Amino acid sequence: MDYTIYSLINGSAGRFVALDKTMVFIAQTFPYLFAITLLLLWFKKDTKERVVANRKVAIFAMMTMLIALGINHIIGFVYFRPRPYTLHAAHLLVNPSVDPSFPSDHATFAFALALPILVVNKYFGRVMIAMSLLLCFSRVYIGIHYPLDVVGGAIIAYATYKVIQRFPKYFDYLATFMLKIWDMIVFRIERLKE
C-alpha cells in the first residue's frame, strides 16, 4: 500500500518540468520559509501581551521541534528503513540521502513548528500547516520518502506536542527565562548604540 501510493505520486515526476521544479523548490526551500515565518512572528508588532504570547509560542515550537527530531534520530538508530529509490524504480529529482527514510525529519520539523503556533496564532499557524502539507507531498513526489515516512514524521511531531502540552508550567518557565535573556541582550545592544 505504501509503495503503491508512493509510485502513484512519484510516478508523476519527470512529466512536467514546471511541476518538477516547483516540487523541488518546495522540498528544499520551505524549511527556510518556516524559519522566516518564525522570525516574522517573533518581531510582529502588537500589544505587549500579544508580543510576549507570540514569542513564547515560537520558543515552545522550537522546543517541540528539537525534542521531536531527537526522537526521530533514536528511531532511525533502532530501525533503519531504506529510502524508496534504493529498493524500487523511482524518479529521484534531488541528490540521494544516506540517512533513514523513516520517519521524515522534514515532516517532523514542519509539523512540530506549526502545531503549537496554530493554537496561539491562527493566521501564522494555518499558513504553516498548509506549508507542512505541501512539504510532505513534495518529499514523496521528488522520490525521497514513502508516504508513511511523512505521516510518521507528522505523528511524532503531534505526539511530542501533546506530551509537552501536559507540562505547561515547565515550558512556560523556560520560555520566560529565555525571553528575559532576549530582553537583556536587546537592552545591551540599545545601550551600545547610545
Side-chain angles (χ1 to χ4, degrees), residues 5-6 25-26 39 53 55 59 63 66 72 81 96 99 106 110 121 123 128-129 145 150 168 170 172 190 192:
I5 298 170
Y6 171 81
F25 174 82
I26 291 169
L39 285 172
R55 289 181 177 177
I59 293 168
M63 287 189 287
L66 290 172
N72 276 14
R81 185 184 197 189
D99 61 338
H106 282 74
N121 191 304
Y123 175 76
M128 291 176 81
I129 290 290
H145 278 296
V150 295
Y170 300 106
D172 188 61
E190 286 173 355
L192 289 172

Side-chain angles (χ1 to χ4, degrees), residues 10-22:
N10 179 249
S12 302
R15 294 183 185 176
F16 306 101
V17 175
L19 183 58
D20 289 353
K21 287 185 177 179
T22 301

Side-chain angles (χ1 to χ4, degrees), residues 147-163:
L148 279 181
D149 299 337
V150 295
V151 170
I155 290 171
I156 288 165
Y158 179 76
T160 304
Y161 164 67
K162 293 306 281 184
V163 168

Side-chain angles (χ1 to χ4, degrees), residues 49-70:
E49 292 78 18
R50 290 297 304 159
V51 168
V52 169
N54 285 341
R55 289 181 177 177
K56 277 188 175 182
V57 78
I59 293 168
F60 182 75
M62 290 293 292
M63 287 189 287
T64 305
M65 182 263 296
L66 290 172
I67 293 168
L69 286 178

Side-chain angles (χ1 to χ4, degrees), residues 84-129:
Y85 52 81
T86 63
L87 301 175
H88 311 284
H91 302 283
L92 189 61
L93 301 182
V94 293
N95 292 329
S97 178
V98 294
D99 61 338
S101 191
F102 181 88
S104 165
D105 285 339
H106 282 74
T108 303
F109 166 87
F111 279 101
L113 291 178
L115 289 168
I117 290 170
L118 180 64
V119 175
V120 174
N121 191 304
K122 298 293 183 198
Y123 175 76
F124 279 97
R126 286 177 183 147
V127 168
M128 291 176 81
I129 290 290

Side-chain angles (χ1 to χ4, degrees), residues 122-187:
K122 298 293 183 198
Y123 175 76
F124 279 97
R126 286 177 183 147
V127 168
M128 291 176 81
I129 290 290
M131 287 168 56
S132 300
L133 293 170
L134 282 170
L135 179 63
C136 288
F137 181 83
S138 72
R139 300 293 291 176
V140 178
Y141 182 93
I142 65 172
I144 210 88
H145 278 296
Y146 290 104
L148 279 181
D149 299 337
V150 295
V151 170
I155 290 171
I156 288 165
Y158 179 76
T160 304
Y161 164 67
K162 293 306 281 184
V163 168
I164 289 173
Q165 240 187 351
R166 295 179 68 87
F167 304 96
K169 207 175 6 175
Y170 300 106
F171 288 96
D172 188 61
Y173 174 79
L174 185 57
T176 302
F177 176 73
M178 291 174 80
L179 282 177
K180 283 180 182 176
I181 292 172
W182 171 260
D183 290 338
M184 189 172 61
I185 291 168
V186 170
F187 175 75

